[in-house]
Amino acid sequence: MAERLLTFSIFRYNPNTPEIKPYMQEYKLEEMPGMTLFVALNKIREEQDPSLMFDFVCRAAICGSCAMLVNGKPRLACKTLTKDLPSRITLLPLPVFKLIGDLSVDTGTWFRHMSLKTEAWIHTTREFDPRAREERMDNETALKIYEAERCIECGCCIAGCATANIREDFLGAAGINRVARFMLDPRDERSPQEYFEVVGTEEGAFGCVGLMACEDNCPMGLPLQMQLAYVRRKMAAAGLAARPQTRAC
Amino acid sequence: MSVYQTHTTDVLVIGAGLAGERTAIEAATHGLDVIILSLVPPRRSHSTAAQGGMQASLGNCAMGYGDNPDIHFEDTVKGSDWGCDQDVARLFANTAPIAVRQMAYWGVPWNRVVAGRKKLPDGREIEDLKEYEGLITARDFGGTAKWRTCYTSDGTGHTLQYTMDSIVIKMGITVHDRMEAIALIHDGERCYGAVARCLRTGQLHAYLARSTVIATGGYGRLYGVSTNAVINEGSGMFLALETGVVPLGNMEAVQFHPTGMVPVGILITEGARGDGGYLLDKNLHRFMPDYEPKKKELASRDVVSRRMIQHIRKGYGVESKWGPHLWLDIRHLGRKHIYTNLREIANICKNFAGIDPAEDLIPVRPTQHYSMGGVRTNIDGHAYGLKGLFAVGEAACWDLHGFNRLGGNSLAETIVAGMVVGKKVAEYTLGATLDCPLQLVNEHVRRQESRINDLISGRLGKENVYEIRREMENTLMEYVGIFRNGPDLQKAVDKLQELYRRSLKLGLRSSGKYASPELASALRLPGMIRLALCIAYGALNRTESRGSHAREDYPYRDDVNWLKRTLAYWPPGAELPVLKYEPVKITELPPGDRGYGESSAANAAKSGNHTQENKK
Amino acid sequence: MNTQEKLLTRNPRADMLVDLVELASGILLVGFLWTHMLFVAAILLGVTTFDRLSAFLDEYYLSYIGIPFILLVALVHIVVAGRRIPNKWKEQRIILRHSKMLGHTDTWIWVFQTITGMAILVLAGIHVWMVLTGWPIRAVTSAGRIQSFLWFYIILLLAGEYHAGFGLYRQFVKWGWINRHTIGAVLKTITVIIVALGAVTLWAFMRLGGAQ
């Protein structure tokens, strides 16, 4: 197979120099066998333009750092092979997230904020006893929790979500899935009413309009539809079961 | 005039992987104010990439019955080839079960024991008893007498890191991500914090702290092909080395993981072999039992890696355009097992090699994986040479792993050491004052500023950072690999010295302004080459074979002359490290036969002679 | 974050209730639309059947209860479902750009859902006004309307059934009762059948009109 000459059209912008408006810059690169966007972007940086900003960490689709819009679709760049793309490749940073520069966006801050908002940690009144044996748990339950915990916070679901694109406060699939993870966990002692406080609004479960771009673009293949629906049903049940305390004085 | 932002805190932790976060949690639990600096958001740390598991002798699963810290200790010491400090290994083995249980309490969904009879891939029948059902189970890993590696399917590091970070968030510990420490602030006796460069804006910051903890992980990326994340450039190690007073321990001890996928070097977890995977050669022959009849594929990593290279050298490797490799075969584990317990492997194979491990063989080759060496500390994690400086995790040479780390002991180390060292950090910090002379801070920041200015202006030269870096990577790959010998190591040292000199004359091609990635690389490179020199020079001088350090010209372990640890110092202005040595602490288990590996085989041949005499 | 006004005025259940009302009103409207289609298709069984059915609905006041009720439900639906439609120009531009770039079927389907929704608001309004002013419903009057406004009814048919079919699909997706790919196929089939029925019905009315 003759190697193709690839044309990369890459978004350029540095928030530190707002006087230079965003523009698309083109780079040419000879394709190599097994070439991923990780390899391609590093080659461009090392050989053509050392100022180009992008993020990679694990380069093995584990850490979630390198999500970007590849020809319009949110993808992990590290596991995107150039052979699966046309010879003209457009790369844009993920929308929704704060832009750090070029293809680099601040997913970290967004996700930390989401964790704070959903209080994404085990809420328990028990104390840890270092001398005691661990609490028992059904293996099926453990696997179910892990299934939701597999999210790598890459932001593809957020970038692909129309609602998240226009509503800053929407938790998105990643956020709701995170809540599902704790709902499934018997160690978390939060009541349905307490969860309702967290996701029982349009910022959470009821903000989703069900477009499923999250599920269709999730690089981990998480069953997001079912997780979102699970939380929605739970929250509807919780909301109908008991009138949460109105906080009027 | 320097413009920089100053932050003051009790404890400064550099690195937000598992070790860094666990240390920070422990310090914060003692009421201290903690700031964590991280190159990336904590949940992107390389700790998340550890798929396999975490060793702790819970003894809950059928193949783990009867396990206890003594056996874990023994396995660890044997694995280290008697290169570790045994008081550290003992403390570690005793604490590991508590660490695993605490992580369970915090939320890790460990896989649990399911009672019943099971058949293993090799035909053995086992039975998990009802009384253990629901407790944390374990899988088999290399070099262990019992099944001891606790896991969550294929994402142990991921769940551990996410859980740990959830506690960091819950406790409100400050994390400054995209903030890179580029120098330690010290006066030759005490460490006062660090100078950092913001990877968003390029601005310099000074962090002043009563104690500073290095938790930056390993240096895998010094090698051209490594399983490590691209951020693993050994930064904390070279920051410590640069002080001139803090030594790095055992830098020549570099672990190669038997199964890095060819050609990209992405890790295929040891869980694949632990769960029953085989290594095959070009004739599809399972060759490991020929070399290691007892442990087969599950001898320690150094041994399996060497056996693989040995086998390839005999001409049994599979030829490919990326050089010879071998096959990993997990097909017989069945599609269901592969796509649940080893799903990450399936994904990696699909994404990066376009193969389905339930149907196809996986091309593998030993690949740089772990740094046993690092900032030398005492058992409290306190670095040698500077008061108020600590190191923990892979960045440290605590020294739990000696010359070879067991699979599953690195995740365990990050958390156990985080608990232990975090407590000691807290104790130290509570008794220390923050009386850093401002003059000293200014000086340190100014020195970094002038480095940056020199790189931008190209005043000292126009050397290309990426070219020199590639040459460094290739030098280590070629001459400081799995099998080593004097002439090659000498070549490596010579070449690295030349590269080091050139690295002091780097000039940028981009403007270097703001968050310039080229500037970040250029700031790191001289330090990285110093580490490379510590590795190569340390290896050249260690005229024996021990654990992962295998000298073709000195094939035997030499306990008479080399039962000691290398300490590499870098005096100001030097072009080579100064090597010193200290004895290894042996408290319980005198040097003996590992029970696997080349010397063990030789011993077996000598029928029952269990101590390896050196006849040099 | 709790602010003073949020603490004083917030009804924590409001969003959920609105969502449930959207679901209920949507299901009612889908039910109505499909029933309506079946009733109208009575023309295929002949003018007499059609007229008798209409008279029957009149006689037992079903029309007089049903029509206002459905209008009320529609009104509620417009308010609660309509709030999903981005109302700011900037948001609309973002959505359009987003949909174009993403090239994602379900997202496009939803964009058309909002467009058909607004189209139905106008077209159905006109339709209701025409029917009520030409009361009672008889095959002849209906045929007359369809003959005069064929394109209007074709568009209303397509928009209505599209909106109903995919609206129901969306609810199934959101509540997760059935796998979305299965339910998608089922609802697409139903929609195609209903649209075909509608087309045949329109054709029948056209012939009726022509024969007059």
Side-chain angles (χ1 to χ4, degrees), chain A residues 115-190:
Chain A
S115 280
L116 278 168
K117 222 157 99 174
T118 57
E119 303 193 4
W121 54 82
I122 297 282
H123 290 54
T124 178
T125 49
R126 290 162 187 266
E127 291 285 322
F128 174 65
D129 178 358
R131 281 151 309 169
R133 217 182 219 182
E134 66 273 19
E135 295 275 324
R136 285 172 202 258
M137 183 190 274
D138 182 44
N139 193 48
E140 284 303 311
T141 309
L143 291 176
K144 249 192 219 158
I145 298 169
Y146 177 62
E147 191 61 24
E149 177 109 336
R150 283 175 59 236
C151 167
I152 56 171
E153 302 193 344
C154 62
C156 284
C157 61
I158 306 300
C161 174
T163 309
N165 268 266
I166 54 172
R167 298 195 47 166
E168 226 174 275
D169 54 4
F170 183 49
L171 286 173
I176 297 166
N177 175 67
R178 176 72 64 220
V179 174
R181 178 249 175 271
F182 286 96
M183 281 181 174
L184 287 164
D185 197 324
R187 291 167 294 196
D188 195 303
E189 293 165 0
R190 274 179 281 185

Side-chain angles (χ1 to χ4, degrees), chain B residues 404-418:
Chain B
N404 175 67
R405 170 178 71 77
L406 293 184
N409 261 358
S410 64
L411 278 183
E413 183 197 15
T414 58
I415 296 168
V416 171

Side-chain angles (χ1 to χ4, degrees), chain A residues 73 202 215-216 232-233 239, chain C residues 15 19 83 104 175 180:
Chain A
K73 296 185 194 304
E202 291 211 335
E215 185 175 82
D216 293 339
R232 184 187 285 264
R233 290 196 305 266
Chain C
D15 290 349
D19 197 68
R83 86 196 192 289
H104 178 247
W175 293 90
R180 62 190 262 243

